[in-house]
Amino acid sequence: MDPGDGDFEAFVAARGPRLLRVAWLLTGDAHLAEDLLQSTLAKVWPKWSRIAGGRPEAYVRKALVHQHASWWRRRWRGELPYGELPDAVGAVDAYEHVDLEQTLASAVRSLPVRQRAVVVLRYFEDLSVEDTAAALGCTTGTVKSQSSRALRSLRALLPASVNTPVDTPVDGGDRHG
C-alpha cells in the first residue's frame, strides 16, 4: 500500500454514492452500475497519486462514461422480454412516481450512448456545457447538439403527461449563466 491509499479510500467513501448514481443512470441496472463503478475504480486506483491533485471526481466520472461506452459496444443487444399489465380501473396508484422514474430511466437508456452520457452529465449531474464537454472529450457545440437531439428523442418517447414544460432551453444552452 502506498501513502495515497487513505486518500483514495476517503474519496470513494465520500463520492462513491454519487458516482454510483451516475453509473446507475448510465446502465439502468443496479448490479451493472456497481460492476461499472467497481471496474472503473479499479482502473483509476493505480493512477490515484497523479489524479488526486487535480479534479478527481471529474476524472472518475469521465472514466465511468468511457468504461460504460466500451461495455455498451461489446454488449449483445438482442430481444428482451417485455410486457405491460393493464391499468386498474378507478384505482389510485400509490407508486405512480416510481412508474414515472422507470419510464424516464427506460427512455434515457434507449438513447444512443453519446446522447445518454450528455443527458446524464448535463441534467442529472447538473454539469455546465463546458464541464460536460471536458468530461466527454468533445466540443461544447457537440454537447449542445447531442443535448438537443436527446431531448427531442425523449419528448417523442415519453407520454404526453410527462412532457411538461421545464426551464431548460431546447437548444441545449447553458443553464449556468
Side-chain angles (χ1 to χ4, degrees), residues 110-128:
S110 73
L111 294 172
V113 174
R114 188 71 154 201
Q115 290 179 16
R116 183 182 324 159
V118 168
V119 167
V120 168
L121 295 176
R122 283 282 290 135
Y123 303 107
F124 288 96
E125 283 297 295
D126 200 29
L127 296 183
S128 68

Side-chain angles (χ1 to χ4, degrees), residues 93-115:
D93 188 0
Y95 298 101
E96 186 175 2
H97 68 283
V98 175
D99 292 340
L100 177 60
E101 288 175 9
Q102 291 299 318
T103 301
L104 180 58
S106 176
V108 170
R109 281 193 307 275
S110 73
L111 294 172
V113 174
R114 188 71 154 201
Q115 290 179 16

Side-chain angles (χ1 to χ4, degrees), residues 130-148:
E130 292 77 17
D131 289 342
T132 302
L136 296 175
C138 64
T139 66
T140 57
T142 300
V143 170
K144 290 177 182 180
S145 67
Q146 292 294 309
S147 175
S148 178

